[in-house]
Amino acid sequence: MILFKTAESLGQYLAKNIAETRKTGFVPTMGALHNGHLELIRASKQRGAFTVCSIFVNPTQFNDPKDFEKYPVTIDHDLLLLANSGCDLVFLPSVAEIYPAGTVLTRAFDLGYLETILEGRYRPGHFQGVCQVVHRLLEIVRPQILFIGQKDYQQCMVISKLVALSGWNIEIEIVPTLREPSGLALSSRNLRLTPENKTAATAIYHSLQYLKQSLQPGPLEGYIEQARTMLVQAGFEKIDYVAIADAGTLMETTNWNGNTRLVGLVAAFIGGIRLIDNMPLTGAGEDHRKL
Ligand code: AMP
């Protein structure tokens, strides 16, 4: 595995060493890597792609500066995991490398309503920051395939929109969420949970499972109320949202016609840590591509 810290050295290496016929697969991350991230690496390896992973804790996507300061950094462990998973190249840029003109947003990405609902509503500016960094990283790495996790469902839609807006010919592969045996979705933020809160946090998974198993056509309000109650009873101190939405558009659905594909989405705080998760509610399994 090779490591680069500058865009220039990375670009030169790729231009010289990767045959034009070989695809580059790209996995952008913020580090504090876990097996969920490695699923994306494995997906890229499975496609036979030269696999590039970036680790960059992007300051512009944190609407809460304290959240940014406390974001876990485990770089030595990350590099070990990546090397063992067969990652070919790691890009570890500095803030100045990614934002040579400073971190003030100088352009706006037209994300439409996606920016004002769910995560966009509770984390103003978050998706502009995500687009800013992903756009810059794609410009540097120039991959043919981009691997992103279904765990961040709305982010998958935002990044798809970004790629469409940019006109780049990049295939996006969305990788299903990897969970602990308890059902808790793997997340870098789990590192900050106490063991008790980690156990209690499985209520997110159970509330989504409850939605999936009980949903009937008609008004959905009662199901949402019950899912919220499950979270409160487990010890979640604040719920940003429990929502049921059209899986294709993410528009909230309050009355189900029995046909529209649905996804359930949750964002809630336990022990001061904000966790998000989602689950396709229609069709078998959790992989949204198989609905
Ligand atoms: P992050 O480091 O949190 O920015 O995540 C980097 C990438 O890993 C994103 O595309 C995430 O959606 C993906 N990811 C995070 N957690 C999981 C998980 N449990 N399973 C699959 N992919 C994940």
Side-chain angles (χ1 to χ4, degrees):
M1 189 171 76
I2 321 154
L3 189 153
F4 289 107
K5 293 190 170 181
T6 68
E8 198 186 353
S9 55
L10 171 78
Q12 280 171 0
Y13 178 86
L14 291 178
K16 258 197 224 143
N17 295 283
I18 311 304
E20 273 183 23
T21 48
R22 179 130 193 238
K23 289 189 174 171
T24 298
F26 180 40
V27 179
T29 80
M30 296 206 297
L33 299 184
H34 50 67
N35 224 351
H37 294 111
L38 301 183
E39 283 289 288
L40 309 191
I41 303 286
R42 289 191 272 269
S44 175
K45 299 291 291 176
Q46 232 166 42
R47 296 287 300 271
F50 181 83
T51 301
V52 176
C53 176
S54 64
I55 299 178
F56 179 67
V57 186
N58 175 33
T60 68
Q61 74 185 68
F62 287 84
N63 47 317
D64 175 359
K66 280 198 212 103
D67 193 23
F68 173 59
E69 281 159 28
K70 286 192 198 152
Y71 201 81
V73 175
T74 59
I75 203 72
D76 293 341
H77 186 241
D78 292 351
L79 294 177
L80 200 68
L81 290 180
L82 288 175
N84 288 340
S85 67
C87 177
D88 296 298
L89 191 155
V90 188
F91 184 40
L92 258 183
S94 63
V95 172
E97 193 64 28
I98 293 295
Y99 298 117
T103 51
V104 177
L105 293 171
T106 49
R107 65 177 287 187
F109 295 88
D110 181 11
L111 302 172
Y113 71 92
L114 270 182
E115 201 177 354
T116 57
I117 58 170
L118 302 168
E119 287 300 283
R121 175 164 168 219
Y122 288 93
R123 302 187 67 188
H126 169 65
F127 286 128
Q128 287 297 327
V130 168
C131 284
Q132 199 185 17
V133 73
V134 172
H135 188 271
R136 172 86 174 119
L137 288 168
L138 291 176
E139 237 171 23
I140 296 170
V141 178
R142 302 217 160 266
Q144 280 72 42
I145 321 174
L146 176 63
F147 295 86
I148 51 181
Q150 190 178 311
K151 157 87 168 38
D152 298 280
Y153 198 97
Q154 192 172 359
Q155 176 170 278
C156 289
M157 294 182 67
V158 163
I159 292 177
S160 302
K161 175 123 196 197
L162 165 73
V163 168
L165 285 173
S166 70
W168 288 323
N169 185 17
I170 298 174
E171 180 193 342
I172 296 179
E173 183 168 330
I174 297 175
V175 177
T177 304
L178 195 72
R179 300 181 179 282
E180 305 244 11
S182 66
L184 181 67
L186 266 60
S187 164
S188 305
R189 287 197 164 83
N190 295 354
L191 285 174
R192 291 172 54 203
L193 295 173
T194 62
E196 294 75 28
N197 284 344
K198 202 170 167 190
T199 304
T202 58
I204 294 192
Y205 176 71
H206 295 304
S207 67
L208 288 166
Q209 281 268 304
Y210 157 75
L211 293 178
K212 190 177 179 82
Q213 284 158 10
S214 6
L215 221 57
Q216 296 288 332
L220 299 180
E221 205 182 283
Y223 300 104
I224 304 261
E225 264 321 302
Q226 176 59 24
R228 291 182 74 99
T229 303
M230 289 170 78
L231 295 175
V232 171
Q233 282 177 350
F236 278 86
E237 65 259 13
K238 186 171 159 224
I239 301 172
D240 275 354
Y241 57 80
V242 173
I244 298 177
D246 181 315
T249 63
L250 264 196
M251 293 306 257
E252 244 175 283
T253 309
T254 50
N255 204 313
W256 187 36
N257 59 15
N259 294 319
T260 309
R261 294 180 310 122
L262 296 178
V263 61
L265 306 109
V266 173
F269 289 79
I270 191 157
I273 311 298
R274 187 175 188 274
L275 301 177
I276 62 168
D277 199 353
N278 66 80
M279 190 181 288
L281 302 179
T282 45
E286 278 196 43
D287 183 345
H288 80 113
R289 296 166 303 185
K290 295 185 184 141
L291 287 183

